[in-house]
């Protein structure tokens, strides 16, 4: 039988909560700590701070093995393993701001110096942090310890980057493509393998089949390489999307259809079919921040990252293309009503960090358009962030009187929009800019809409 551990998770956000819930689900005892008292109070009452499918059920089902708290100290006293899963937002220069990670590391050091422990505490960095952060965290724990009564503390730092996607975070955590661990200490790696054993062997109870039939690869390496794997993975995926967008822009000019082209190239196993969907481009809390952070790291070391810079520039151009496409049929934007359908940065989440909808809405407003937004779950949050945008809670309400609509986020509900009803409600010229190539052009045109996709004229 797999060993059971006392696991601490600091940061009860997307990564921390999902990690905590999944660790409890595979049999460990979990304490989730966050500095945000309101968040912890709500969690104790069963109220989630984020919209993430299956997370609520997962927490409720394993509630007896999960505690929520604002106090780091008891966690450091009792846990075998502590995950740091706090946010690492971009600083002004694009580099990752490590102040939250640093505060937690110092706090762990201080608490460690006040408690008696039999075994070294394993401190696992799950936040996305630049190369070298493992050593930095180690140094800060030591510094924190020296502020306390007993400077001699025992701990091991491990890097365990997270690859979950919002919207399918629980699934991705239980059925990952791989688990990456970086550490200098073999015993710490051994403990981490034991911690993850039910996932590696896929031996936990689940209704979330289909599960992989083979063991999940467990990649062990040094701290710096593990940290780099995370950035390289996100940068590659973002670049792959930008590549698809570049091809789409060429397709548009030569009369090819990017959907057929990416389907055709994706069948080559060396390329693969995923992350080739052309459109408005990538947003969210991670790709933009992590690509910029990797570029900052490269420049710090006097290397100019040409491919990454191009990926960012193509991505920025895609958002501006929405405006160009709108102008092609609306001519001027002044006084026109534009409906933005889908506001979160991708479907199945309410996350609006770096959401394309917000920057598109700002440009439209600055050009004198009246913007009406709709999203199945992120509407209220969007209204709070952008008071000048009118947010409604029904897609057809947003379409009423709109001269144009932009499908920004391909929620299932919006992929299946009643196009005839949309055309009846809209005002001339009844333009639909499909920012995700999610709607059949022929069906939209048959319903009486002018259709513009990306790379499929
Ligand atoms: P988040 O903003 O959703 O959650 C972070 C939480 O940490 C917040 O609740 C915040 O209050 C808490 N926190 C901050 N400082 C704290 C402190 N000193 N003590 C206690 N709690 C503190 O962030 P997230 O999206 O979960 O991302 C966390 C990290 O994981 C980031 O580095 C991110 O790049 C990385 N990551 C995120 C995803 C994702 O899909 N969101 C996926 C992979 C990796
Ligand atoms: C991404 C990665 O996929 C995760 O592996 C990683 O853990 C995470 O970042 C992170 O580090 O936080 P996420 O941002 O949740 O996950 O969502 P994705 O599904 O990757 O989508 C990112 C953006 O790319 C979205 O705006 C999406 O609309 C866009 N996208 C995605 C495309 O434009 N085309 C595609 O083909 C795929």
């Amino acid at each position: 039988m797999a060993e059971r551990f006392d696991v601490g998770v600091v940061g009860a956000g997307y990564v921390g909560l999902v990690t905590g819930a999944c660790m409890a689900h595979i049999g460990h005892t979990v304490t989730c700590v966050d500095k945000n008292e309101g968040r912890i109070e709500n969690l104790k009452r069963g109220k989630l701070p984020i919209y993430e499918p299956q997370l609520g059920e997962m927490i409720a089902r394993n509630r007896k093995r999960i505690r929520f708290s604002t106090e780091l100290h008891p966690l450091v006293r009792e846990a075998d393993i502590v995950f740091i899963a706090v946010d690492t937002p971009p600083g002004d220069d694009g580099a990752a701001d490590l102040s939250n990670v640093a505060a937690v590391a110092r706090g762990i050091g201080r608490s460690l110096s006040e408690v008696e422990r039999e075994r070294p505490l394993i401190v696992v960095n799950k936040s996305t942090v630049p190369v070298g952060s493992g050593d930095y965290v180690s140094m800060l724990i030591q510094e924190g310890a020296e502020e306390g009564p007993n400077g001699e503390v025992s701990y091991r730092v491990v890097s365990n980057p997270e690859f979950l996607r919002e919207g399918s975070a629980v699934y991705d955590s239980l059925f990952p493509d791989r688990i990456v661990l970086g550490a200098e200490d073999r015993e710490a790696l051994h403990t981490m393998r034991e911690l993850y054993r039910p996932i590696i062997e896929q031996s936990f109870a689940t209704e979330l089949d289909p599960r992989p039939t083979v063991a999940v690869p467990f990649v062990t390496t040094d701290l710096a390489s593990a940290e780099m794997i995370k950035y390289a993975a996100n940068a590659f995926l973002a670049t792959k999307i930008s590549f698809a967008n570049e091809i789409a822009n060429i397709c548009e000019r030569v009369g090819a259809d990017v959907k057929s082209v990416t389907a055709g190239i994706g069948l080559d196993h060396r390329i693969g079919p995923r992350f080739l969907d052309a459109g408005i481009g990538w947003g969210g809390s991670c790709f933009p921040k992590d690509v910029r952070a990797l570029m900052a790291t490269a420049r710090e070391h006097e290397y100019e990252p040409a491919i990454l810079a191009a990926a960012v520039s193509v991505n920025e151009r895609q958002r501006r293309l929405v405006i160009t496409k709108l102008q092609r049929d609306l001519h001027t934007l002044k006084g026109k009503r534009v409906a933005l359908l889908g506001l979160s940065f991708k479907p199945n989440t309410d996350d609006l960090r770096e959401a394309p909808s917000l920057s598109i809405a700002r440009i439209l407003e600055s050009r004198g358009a009246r913007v009406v937004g709709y999203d199945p779950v992120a509407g209220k949050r969007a209204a709070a962030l952008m008071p000048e945008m009118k947010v409604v809670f029904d897609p057809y309400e947003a379409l009423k009187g709109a001269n144009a609509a932009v499908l920004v986020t391909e929620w299932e509900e919006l992929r299946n929009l009643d196009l005839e009803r949309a055309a009846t409600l809209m005002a001339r010229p009844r333009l639909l800019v499909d920012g995700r190539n999610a709607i059949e052009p022929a069906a939209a045109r048959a319903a009486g809409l002018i259709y513009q996709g990306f790379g499929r004229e």
Side-chain angles (χ1 to χ4, degrees):
M1 207 173 109
E3 214 177 321
R4 307 281 186 229
F5 292 96
D6 254 313
V7 177
V9 181
V10 188
Y14 287 90
V15 170
L17 276 179
V18 172
T19 301
C22 291
M23 285 291 147
H25 189 67
I26 61 173
H28 305 302
T29 305
V30 175
T31 305
C32 284
V33 166
D34 202 287
K35 67 177 179 183
N36 183 330
E37 288 174 16
R39 188 164 272 217
I40 291 297
E41 277 317 306
N42 281 333
L43 281 163
K44 283 181 182 166
R45 285 193 227 109
K47 193 162 176 263
L48 290 195
I50 51 171
Y51 174 90
E52 182 60 46
Q54 293 160 347
L55 181 58
E57 294 92 303
M58 194 55 111
I59 292 178
R61 192 169 157 185
N62 299 289
R63 191 64 184 85
K64 62 178 188 303
R65 281 194 298 277
I66 309 178
R67 264 187 309 165
F68 295 105
S69 170
T70 51
E71 285 180 66
L72 187 62
H73 189 72
L75 180 147
V76 171
R77 190 176 55 225
E78 287 150 26
D80 303 299
I81 297 163
V82 174
F83 284 95
I84 302 180
V86 298
D87 42 325
T88 49
D92 292 339
D93 57 354
D97 174 350
L98 293 181
S99 51
N100 291 331
V101 172
V104 177
R106 276 211 184 83
I108 290 175
R110 263 194 307 275
S111 288
L112 267 179
S113 80
E114 291 166 16
V115 297
E116 291 283 324
R117 291 184 52 93
E118 277 175 22
R119 289 199 283 181
L121 177 68
I122 298 184
V123 180
V124 188
N125 218 339
K126 218 177 215 327
S127 294
T128 302
V129 289
V131 176
S133 299
D135 293 337
Y136 177 59
V137 163
S138 199
M139 185 191 88
L140 292 171
I141 295 175
Q142 190 54 49
E143 272 183 24
E146 281 159 17
E147 290 166 18
N150 176 14
E152 285 291 305
V153 293
S154 177
Y155 61 92
R156 304 283 183 269
V157 174
V158 170
S159 165
N160 174 210
E162 178 54 64
F163 302 102
L164 64 79
R165 292 159 302 166
E166 289 179 21
S168 51
V170 170
Y171 185 90
D172 290 348
S173 297
L174 291 175
F175 307 112
D177 286 350
R178 76 301 207 185
I179 294 165
V180 173
L181 257 305
E184 316 306 335
D185 183 74
R186 291 183 71 82
E187 213 167 304
L189 285 176
H190 174 78
T191 306
M192 290 304 291
R193 179 183 259 282
E194 281 306 303
L195 176 82
Y196 275 113
R197 190 206 279 262
I199 293 180
I200 295 171
E201 295 177 353
Q202 292 289 300
S203 57
F204 54 89
T206 178
E207 286 107 42
L208 297 172
D209 280 338
R211 65 172 68 204
T213 48
V214 289
V216 171
F218 187 77
V219 180
T220 55
T221 181
D222 56 279
L223 271 172
S225 303
E227 291 163 346
M228 192 63 184
I229 286 170
K230 174 64 196 173
Y231 281 102
N234 271 3
F236 184 82
L237 292 169
T239 305
K240 196 175 178 192
I241 300 167
S242 282
F243 177 83
N245 282 326
E246 182 114 295
I247 295 297
N249 294 337
I250 302 172
C251 282
E252 226 167 90
R253 284 160 178 78
V254 299
D257 183 329
V258 73
K259 285 201 96 151
S260 301
V261 173
T262 49
I265 64 171
L267 286 168
D268 184 327
H269 290 299
R270 293 168 303 172
I271 297 173
R274 298 167 72 190
F275 280 68
L276 283 175
D277 290 333
I280 284 172
W282 35 274
S285 68
C286 290
F287 283 176
K289 144 177 107 58
D290 294 347
V291 174
R292 262 182 261 138
L294 183 56
M295 289 169 74
T297 300
R299 286 174 180 150
E300 236 172 72
H301 292 83
E302 287 168 23
Y303 177 79
E304 184 50 36
I307 293 178
L308 300 182
V312 170
S313 135
V314 169
N315 197 51
E316 285 167 355
R317 191 164 57 193
Q318 292 310 109
R319 293 188 190 187
R320 291 196 302 271
L321 265 180
V322 174
I323 310 297
T324 312
K325 285 177 186 287
L326 284 169
Q327 277 172 331
R328 206 182 77 181
D329 288 294
L330 296 181
H331 309 298
T332 172
L333 291 169
K334 207 168 167 48
K336 299 283 168 32
R337 182 173 158 121
V338 181
L340 296 187
L341 302 178
L343 302 171
S344 56
F345 84 94
K346 62 179 275 192
N348 299 322
T349 179
D350 59 353
D351 199 342
L352 285 157
R353 289 179 283 184
E354 301 258 1
S357 63
L358 300 183
S359 52
I360 292 167
R362 277 189 201 106
I363 304 177
L364 289 174
E365 302 261 359
S366 73
R367 307 264 176 103
R370 289 171 298 140
V371 184
V372 188
Y374 164 76
D375 190 278
V377 300
K380 271 197 190 142
R381 280 190 181 202
L385 283 174
M386 274 210 63
E388 56 281 19
M389 174 168 69
K390 183 173 175 198
V391 173
V392 295
F393 296 91
D394 178 297
Y396 300 100
E397 177 71 26
L399 289 165
K400 214 179 274 174
N403 305 97
V406 183
L407 180 66
V408 184
T409 313
E410 69 283 26
W411 285 88
E412 200 54 33
E413 166 190 342
L414 297 172
R415 281 178 178 279
N416 296 317
L417 207 63
D418 180 339
L419 298 170
E420 271 159 26
R421 187 170 167 206
T424 317
L425 289 168
M426 287 175 74
R428 281 173 190 282
R430 299 189 179 83
L431 168 64
L432 173 64
V433 175
D434 181 357
R436 299 294 177 183
N437 286 346
I439 287 172
E440 224 11 87
R445 289 181 183 128
L449 298 166
I450 299 178
Y451 178 90
Q452 287 196 51
F454 281 71
R456 54 188 327 206
E457 282 306 279

